[in-house]
Amino acid sequence: MDQNLHTPEVYDFRQYDRLWQRVAPGLEPYPPEQTAQPAASESSGQAAPAMTPAQDRQASLLPGAEENPCCMGTAAMEMLQVLTGFAEEELEDQRQLQALSRRAPSWARQRLREMAAESGARAKRLLAVHYLITGECYRPSIVCQRIAGTPWCAALRERYHVAACTGMNYARAADGTTDVCLGRLLEEMSSGAYRQADSLLAMLERSMRTETCAPPR
C-alpha cells in the first residue's frame, strides 16, 4: 500500500483506482461443459464396470477430480492478481495499525490492536483462497513504509480513508466476479473494512470532543 505517511493531509486516491484496474473489466462466465467421451469399453459394445462406493469416494478426493469446480474455479482465477494485492494491503494495514496502537491514548489502544488483528486475519484468508484456486502458496511481497510520528488526529484521518477505500474496493471486486463463493467472501471483507472505518471515525469524534486533536502524551 503506497501511503504517503509524511504528508497525511494529502491523499492520492488514484492508488485505489489502480488496484481496481487490475480487475478484468469483462469476466468470462463459466465455459460450457465438455461432452464426456464414451469409454473405450462402451465403443467395443461392453458395459463399463461400475465403481464401488469406496472407489467413488476415493476418486472424488483425488486432486484435480473436478476440472472446473463450482467455487474457486475458472472465474475466481481471473481475480488472482486482485486477491494478492488485497492480501499485501491488509498486511501493511496490520503493521500501520499496530504502530498506531503503541502511541494512541489508552482508551483507543485495545480497539486498534483488534483492528490490526482483523487486517492480519483477512490477509491470511486471502492467501488461503489463493491456495484454493491455484493449489500453490503465495508469498506476499511487501515494501515496508517508514512509519512517521503523525499527529494523532491526522493519523486517524489517514487510516479512516484507507479503511473506507479498502471497503469500497472489496465491494467493487465482489461485483466483478461471477464466482459465487468468492463474491460472498469479498462482500464479507468489505463489511469488515467499513466497520474499521466506523471505529476510526468514532475515535476521531471522541478525540475532537475531549482532546481537541492534540497528540497523545
Side-chain angles (χ1 to χ4, degrees), residues 6-17:
H6 300 286
T7 57
E9 294 81 4
V10 180
Y11 302 98
D12 182 6
F13 293 102
R14 291 173 299 177
Q15 62 184 306
Y16 304 108
D17 289 332

Side-chain angles (χ1 to χ4, degrees), residues 91-160:
L91 290 172
E92 177 61 18
D93 284 345
Q94 180 185 31
R95 178 174 170 268
Q96 295 287 342
L97 289 166
Q98 286 172 339
L100 185 59
S101 71
R102 289 191 287 269
R103 59 187 183 85
S106 58
W107 55 265
R109 290 172 189 163
Q110 180 59 34
R111 180 61 186 127
L112 287 170
R113 286 193 291 266
E114 291 172 355
M115 284 192 283
E118 291 165 2
S119 293
R122 283 196 293 270
K124 291 178 180 178
R125 197 168 188 191
L126 287 164
L127 295 177
V129 167
H130 183 279
Y131 185 82
L132 281 176
I133 298 170
T134 66
E136 298 176 355
C137 294
Y138 177 78
R139 187 179 299 276
S141 175
I142 300 179
V143 178
C144 293
Q145 302 285 342
R146 188 176 72 87
I147 299 177
T150 309
W152 168 243
C153 284
L156 288 178
R157 177 173 179 257
E158 180 181 0
R159 301 319 306 169
Y160 169 85

Side-chain angles (χ1 to χ4, degrees), residues 49-73:
M51 296 179 67
T52 66
Q55 289 173 328
D56 185 67
R57 287 194 299 270
Q58 184 178 5
S60 67
L61 296 175
L62 292 176
E66 180 65 51
E67 293 183 1
N68 186 26
C70 62
C71 281
M72 304 303 178

